[in-house]
Amino acid sequence: MTFSGCGIAGVLRFADSARDTPGLLEVRRMTDALRHRGPNGEGIWDGGAVVLGHRRLSFLDLGEGGAQPMTRGKSTLVYNGELYNFAELRAELSRLGHRFESTSDTEVVLRAWIQWDAGALERFSGMYAFALWDAERCRLILARDRIGIKPLYYHRGHGFVAFASEVEALLECRQIPRRPDLRAVHDQLLRSSTLEVDRARTLVDNVKALPPATWMSIDVGGREHSETYWALPGGQPTGTGSVDDVEELRDLVEHGVRSMTTADVPIGAFLSGGLDSSVIASIAAADRPITAITVAYSERSGDTPSEVDNEDLRYSRVLAAHLAERIDHQVRVRRHAVSLEDIDDVCDLAVFCDDVRHVSILGNYRSVAALGLRGVLNGQGADETMCGYVGMNSFVTNILDVRAPGFATLSRLPAAREVQGLSPDVLTRRSDAHREVVDFHARLAGTPLEKAHRLLMHTQLPRIVQFEDFLSMRASVEGRFPFLDHRLVEFAFRGPLERHVDRSKRLGKVLLRRATASLLPEALATRPKQKFPSPGQTSLHRSLTALAEEHASEIRDDELVSATFDLPGPGRLSTMPVDSLWVLLSLWRWHVRLRTFDTGRTANALAVA
């Protein structure tokens, strides 16, 4: 049985550290700031040189047997995530002589590291971020899963390293400066958060993210070592879309869904009426009745939306009827307007929210929590791995023209979302910011189609899972992603990506459609890729303009905003388009949040990393 831990924090003090290095008090503060990620319990362990903290959100083994921090022998672990193959690993470790004291996957992770050291990571299947104190070697281990679903941020200061599951929690450590990384801010404004090629960078100066598929060790002498333990398959691809490929893909999808529905508490599934969510709900419902959640928009919360205006609602009801008694279909209605509280709720200090749809996504997770569910299956990842975007105009125009497969137009990609009103100082960096993405893309292997998707896997997908984790945990709900099982991702890139595309129809995920056709009504199996639903543009512009005008003096007085935007005159913020208004308000609230940490320093001083 497994036990999910959803918030970790800690510090390691070096042997020659000064007296004013963080310790138990700071770790308690950081751990408490992660309460929303783990409302079911907490634990603190003080090992002298290292202090570890943990918040837990329980799914299985709901008692204290899997409580953390967990110590076995000379190793102590705090762990955030789920190990889906824990039963097989537990059996193997038992044969090797390990005697388990709990039924939790936490203990499997800990004993696997004791047995195989870093080699354990290659055996793990799941989403995780953990910190392990190896007292025998006097070193701290930090590690993340292959895709980077579970986050881990750290700061190396004078005589110490501090880490936490969220940047906001990390900054509860008073020894860490709270300054924006101005270059990172500019780059995100110029090319969006989904085109960040440096996966270790955050918007806070000297705060880093441990990259996906990476483990790092730091010893008490301050010596640091890191390794990448997994990468997308490369070299000569195999497979052509044959019957064998179709059968293997179906087996992998079914295994991915079923491995992620194990829990002693209810698990639901998002149902948008699209291919990905419908496949997941169908497989999950075959084993047990499942709650499926669909979110639709209306002018006022509580109104019954029309299927004419809500295509996702119409298609989701098709699947609910198809599965009859196997699905409890819950429809939640959201309003179009956005409030200041909405913006604050989606504010992640690691990267400010530059997409208004995040408000909707947080609302979706809150709907899950309101239904009494602690976890939900989510269809993210299939588009990036199996060419789901090829039929969308933005992909065709800005990444790859499938009508001329030998020609990539990537040089236009970073300009796909222009933020209006940026200051001349920011715009002077436009060429460099765009060139970094183009140069990164040029170094990727494969055909134009493959290069485009490798770029998505390196930039867009990590950002997607980052905000999905952040927003789900804001609602104390865990998102699970069957299409991001690493074996399924490896399968997608092991063969030529062209096998996933019907060029004549500009249709992606054709192999997935063939593999799952028998599970779905034909209308769902052939439905083209749709954009994620978001509030109506007219209502959204009206509410964002009202917020901007109401707080105009505060916005104009903000040091970061005034250095970043060249704003129109008084009363003319309504001339800015929706996307630019949203980014303006998000940046302002991000900086307000950063300045709330009172450290006795000048919190709003700007820094260029």
Side-chain angles (χ1 to χ4, degrees):
M1 290 198 166
T2 187
F3 181 99
S4 175
C6 288
I8 65 175
V11 296
L12 169 65
R13 292 177 292 225
F14 302 153
D16 60 350
S17 61
R19 180 175 298 177
D20 190 35
T21 51
L24 182 62
L25 175 62
E26 284 78 14
V27 175
R28 286 194 183 279
R29 289 167 57 91
M30 290 192 289
T31 304
D32 190 59
L34 295 169
R35 183 180 299 273
H36 56 283
R37 296 184 70 91
N40 302 132
E42 66 176 328
I44 302 284
W45 179 82
D46 189 347
V50 65
V51 183
L52 303 177
H54 181 261
R55 296 293 315 191
R56 71 182 189 183
L57 177 66
S58 305
F59 281 78
L60 289 174
D61 192 0
L62 303 184
E64 294 302 313
Q68 299 182 47
M70 177 182 285
T71 299
R72 297 292 184 265
K74 295 184 178 182
S75 298
T76 302
L77 176 73
V78 285
Y79 162 67
N80 168 22
E82 298 282 355
L83 197 64
Y84 299 123
N85 64 335
F86 74 98
E88 300 95 308
L89 288 176
R90 178 189 172 99
E92 183 178 0
L93 288 164
S94 295
R95 291 192 295 270
L96 292 170
H98 291 266
R99 296 293 176 261
F100 286 82
E101 302 173 32
S102 72
T103 58
S104 69
D105 65 338
T106 303
E107 188 171 4
V108 173
V109 171
L110 179 51
R111 291 189 178 277
W113 189 277
I114 292 171
Q115 179 67 40
W116 296 301
D117 201 69
L121 296 169
E122 298 175 3
R123 298 170 179 260
F124 291 165
S125 175
M127 56 180 185
Y128 49 82
F130 65 80
L132 183 146
W133 172 243
D134 180 350
E136 186 171 4
R137 302 189 196 181
C138 294
R139 63 174 185 163
L140 177 70
I141 304 297
L142 303 178
R144 283 184 76 193
D145 64 73
R146 293 170 178 84
I147 306 299
I149 298 172
K150 288 299 178 182
L152 193 56
Y153 302 99
Y154 69 97
H155 166 82
R156 180 163 183 150
H158 296 295
F160 73 96
V161 168
F163 65 88
S165 295
E166 293 182 5
V167 172
E168 187 162 344
L170 184 63
L171 295 186
E172 290 291 342
C173 178
R174 61 185 175 84
Q175 291 83 354
I176 301 176
R178 283 81 165 175
R179 300 187 299 258
D181 178 340
L182 197 55
R183 177 167 291 179
V185 170
H186 289 177
D187 285 352
Q188 182 174 323
L189 290 168
L190 290 165
R191 64 191 187 205
S192 94
S193 62
T194 59
L195 285 169
E196 176 56 72
V197 296
D198 182 357
R199 289 187 282 186
R201 186 158 69 164
T202 75
L203 295 183
V204 180
D205 189 34
N206 287 321
V207 170
K208 295 184 178 181
L210 186 69
T214 300
W215 70 273
M216 173 190 292
S217 69
I218 310 114
D219 67 20
V220 291
R223 290 175 290 272
E224 185 179 305
H225 171 79
S226 63
E227 292 184 15
T228 299
Y229 65 89
W230 180 85
L232 288 176
Q236 186 64 35
T238 60
T240 59
S242 65
V243 172
D244 289 343
D245 285 347
V246 171
E247 292 178 352
E248 182 179 358
L249 178 55
R250 173 157 180 165
D251 288 345
L252 287 168
V253 173
E254 290 183 345
H255 175 79
V257 173
R258 292 191 168 111
S259 70
M260 298 185 194
T261 54
T262 303
D264 283 342
V265 294
I267 300 290
F270 285 133
L271 180 59
S272 69
L275 174 68
D276 308 336
S277 65
S278 298
V279 166
I280 289 172
S282 296
I283 295 172
D287 295 329
R288 67 171 90 174
I290 192 167
T291 300
I293 303 100
T294 301
V295 178
Y297 280 94
S298 186
E299 283 298 326
R300 296 187 303 272
S301 296
D303 287 355
T304 302
S306 166
E307 288 190 5
V308 174
D309 300 323
N310 290 266
E311 191 176 77
D312 284 355
L313 177 60
R314 181 169 74 252
Y315 278 98
S316 66
R317 285 176 170 164
V318 170
L319 185 70
H322 177 70
L323 296 175
E325 303 301 320
R326 305 300 298 174
I327 280 187
D328 174 20
H329 190 207
Q330 296 286 331
V331 177
R332 292 292 183 265
V333 181
R334 286 189 55 79
R335 58 190 174 88
H336 288 291
V338 172
S339 68
L340 198 65
E341 183 181 30
D342 290 329
I343 301 173
D344 288 344
D345 284 347
V346 299
C347 178
D348 181 356
L349 286 181
V351 51
F352 61 79
C353 177
D354 54 6
D355 192 333
V356 69
R357 294 175 298 179
H358 292 188
V359 173
S360 306
I361 294 169
L362 176 58
N364 294 355
Y365 283 115
R366 285 177 169 166
S367 296
V368 172
L371 291 168
L373 304 172
R374 293 190 190 175
V376 64
L377 301 175
N378 185 312
Q380 291 284 14
D383 291 316
E384 289 79 10
T385 58
M386 291 181 277
C387 305
Y389 297 116
V390 296
M392 301 187 72
N393 288 335
S394 59
F395 183 91
V396 173
T397 301
N398 296 308
I399 298 180
L400 179 76
D401 190 338
V402 295
R403 295 164 298 182
F407 179 69
T409 57
L410 187 75
S411 60
R412 298 177 56 190
L413 185 148
R417 188 221 59 186
E418 292 286 354
V419 177
Q420 292 187 17
L422 294 179
S423 70
D425 285 345
V426 175
L427 292 175
T428 59
R429 181 161 166 74
R430 174 186 287 175
S431 296
D432 289 341
H434 293 184
R435 177 54 54 188
E436 287 175 8
V437 181
V438 174
D439 289 346
F440 180 85
H441 170 266
R443 296 192 296 269
L444 297 173
T447 64
L449 183 67
E450 184 177 358
K451 288 166 73 76
H453 282 82
R454 286 184 181 274
L455 180 70
L456 294 178
M457 291 294 294
H458 190 94
T459 58
Q460 177 168 294
L461 185 64
R463 174 64 179 124
I464 287 174
V465 296
Q466 178 184 18
F467 74 67
E468 290 282 0
D469 177 84
F470 179 80
L471 297 175
S472 66
M473 290 290 98
R474 297 287 284 184
S476 300
V477 169
E478 183 175 86
R480 297 181 174 184
F481 307 90
F483 287 113
L484 293 178
D485 183 298
H486 76 274
R487 288 160 296 194
L488 205 161
V489 173
E490 289 172 348
F491 168 85
F493 280 85
R494 193 172 66 235
L497 286 186
E498 281 76 4
R499 62 183 173 158
H500 298 291
V501 177
D502 183 333
R503 293 184 182 278
S504 64
K505 299 179 180 178
R506 277 179 47 171
L507 186 68
K509 296 187 289 195
V510 294
L511 205 60
L512 179 63
R513 295 174 194 275
R514 290 168 58 193
T516 59
S518 62
L519 299 174
L520 306 175
E522 183 178 357
L524 294 176
T526 58
R527 186 187 180 195
K529 169 70 179 174
Q530 304 294 314
K531 291 184 178 180
F532 185 86
S534 59
Q537 293 295 294
T538 301
S539 298
L540 182 58
H541 189 268
R542 186 163 53 245
S543 66
L544 293 179
T545 299
L547 284 175
E549 293 292 359
E550 179 183 356
H551 299 279
S553 61
E554 300 166 74
I555 293 171
R556 295 179 189 277
D557 289 343
D558 184 278
E559 183 181 12
L560 179 60
V561 173
S562 63
T564 303
F565 279 87
D566 188 10
L567 295 174
R572 294 191 52 79
L573 289 174
S574 62
T575 61
M576 299 178 69
V578 165
D579 287 349
S580 298
L581 276 171
W582 173 260
V583 172
L584 169 67
L585 288 164
S586 296
L587 177 61
W588 169 52
R589 299 310 295 174
W590 180 90
H591 198 217
V592 168
R593 179 72 60 85
L594 188 66
R595 297 200 315 268
T596 60
F597 294 94
D598 182 12
T599 66
R601 300 179 177 87
T602 305
N604 61 354
L606 303 185
V608 179

